[in-house]
Amino acid sequence: MPQVDEGLVTAVCRVAQEAGRATLAFHGGAVPFERKVDNSPLTAADRAAHGIIVEALRRLTPHLPVLSEESSEQEAAGRLAWDTFWLVDPLDGTKEFIKGSGEFTVNIALISGAGPVLGVVHVPVTGVTYWGRPGQGAFKAQAGQPPVALHSRPADLERLVIVASKDHAGPRVEALLRRLGTASTAHLGSSLKFCLIAEGQADFYPRLQPTNEWDTAAAQCVLEAAGGGVTDLEGRRLAYNKPQILNPSFLAFGDPRHDWRALLGD
């Protein structure tokens, strides 16, 4: 595992914050966008944040490759041979960004082997930054304020708070929400769903619709460092640098003592 010291954590948080400030220059009003090959939207803010992050990470750790959602196929070639690399979503929640919502984030993760060893999630509109490292805890800081340690909470199955995507909950999750009559629901965009669980304000995020590795890596690291977990539907930790960049369906939760798969039913 690479050395992830406080100096590196601080530097990566600053990179995410700089990229976040760049996105705000394009936020508000009508946001022009184009469609990528997979039909997902791409804005000038995505490109600006990508450029800032990639350049900064290459200066910070010139020996490590960077894979961003906006990387070219040529830049991503050979990624399966990488043991340690940066995995970046320069603007997670582009649909929310286009709508004018503040529910978008900048996500930067350091991957070693099959999992994240550092995750930074920055929220440009609020100025909040989350970060976490395995065994070193998870933290949240408002600009200019000291960091606060994050801890996921024990789950009360009679009073669950379930987080779901605004645009991609899917029929199975919607059925779960109807079935659990005592649960409340929080709908959020981007990786903020993981962070809400890491903060102890929610319990469970089932995601059965498609995501990519860069969508989840940084926030997974924050949640795991706060005491929670992210697994596939077989109970295996969500893994990275697979031949297929697409994630399987997954469950994110704050309390690892419960069988969250059982809640989904058949």
Side-chain angles (χ1 to χ4, degrees):
M1 181 183 296
Q3 182 70 24
V4 184
D5 57 23
E6 291 294 338
L8 183 63
V9 174
T10 300
V12 177
C13 287
R14 287 175 179 163
V15 171
Q17 291 156 4
E18 182 185 355
R21 287 190 291 272
T23 67
L24 292 177
F26 303 93
H27 189 240
V31 178
F33 65 93
E34 59 190 79
R35 293 285 180 182
K36 295 189 285 189
V37 174
D38 64 0
N39 204 39
S40 62
L42 175 67
T43 71
D46 294 85
R47 288 197 179 94
H50 165 82
I52 288 169
I53 294 168
V54 171
E55 181 181 351
L57 292 179
R58 285 176 175 163
R59 286 198 310 267
L60 188 63
T61 54
H63 57 293
L64 293 180
V66 181
L67 176 63
S68 163
E69 179 177 6
E70 310 312 333
S71 293
S72 67
E73 289 186 13
Q74 182 178 3
E75 290 170 320
R79 68 175 180 84
L80 294 179
W82 301 345
D83 179 65
T84 303
F85 64 99
W86 295 103
L87 182 58
V88 175
D89 191 341
L91 200 166
D92 181 33
T94 302
K95 290 181 180 179
E96 293 299 317
F97 183 89
I98 292 169
K99 292 176 187 175
S101 160
E103 295 175 8
F104 61 93
T105 59
V106 175
N107 300 343
I108 303 176
L110 180 61
I111 304 296
S112 180
V117 294
L118 169 63
V120 173
V121 176
H122 177 65
V123 191
V125 167
T126 63
V128 170
T129 306
Y130 300 87
W131 67 93
R133 291 177 289 166
Q136 301 296 319
F139 300 88
K140 169 186 177 180
Q142 181 76 47
Q145 299 294 320
V148 176
L150 301 180
H151 303 282
S152 58
R153 68 186 183 188
D156 180 348
L157 297 183
E158 296 300 317
R159 294 179 177 83
L160 291 177
V161 176
I162 299 174
V163 285
S165 170
K166 285 186 172 179
D167 296 313
H168 304 289
R172 197 171 173 192
V173 173
E174 290 169 357
L176 166 67
L177 298 175
R178 288 193 299 269
R179 191 168 68 249
L180 296 177
T182 60
S184 59
T185 311
H187 289 280
L188 286 171
S190 74
S191 56
L192 287 169
K193 296 181 283 294
F194 294 87
C195 296
L196 199 67
I197 301 173
E199 289 187 80
Q201 296 187 39
D203 302 292
F204 185 38
Y205 168 34
R207 178 67 185 230
L208 309 180
Q209 301 294 312
T211 59
N212 290 302
E213 290 186 5
W214 45 69
D215 295 312
T216 56
Q220 175 176 342
C221 197
V222 172
L223 177 52
E224 290 177 339
V230 184
T231 70
D232 64 19
L233 298 188
E234 303 301 319
R236 297 174 297 230
R237 184 191 185 207
L238 196 64
Y240 292 86
N241 212 24
K242 310 179 304 298
Q244 172 59 265
I245 201 82
L246 198 68
N247 286 324
S249 297
F250 65 81
L251 309 176
F253 47 83
D255 189 341
R257 298 173 303 170
H258 291 285
D259 182 3
W260 295 101
R261 291 175 291 166
L263 285 183
L264 290 178
D266 294 329

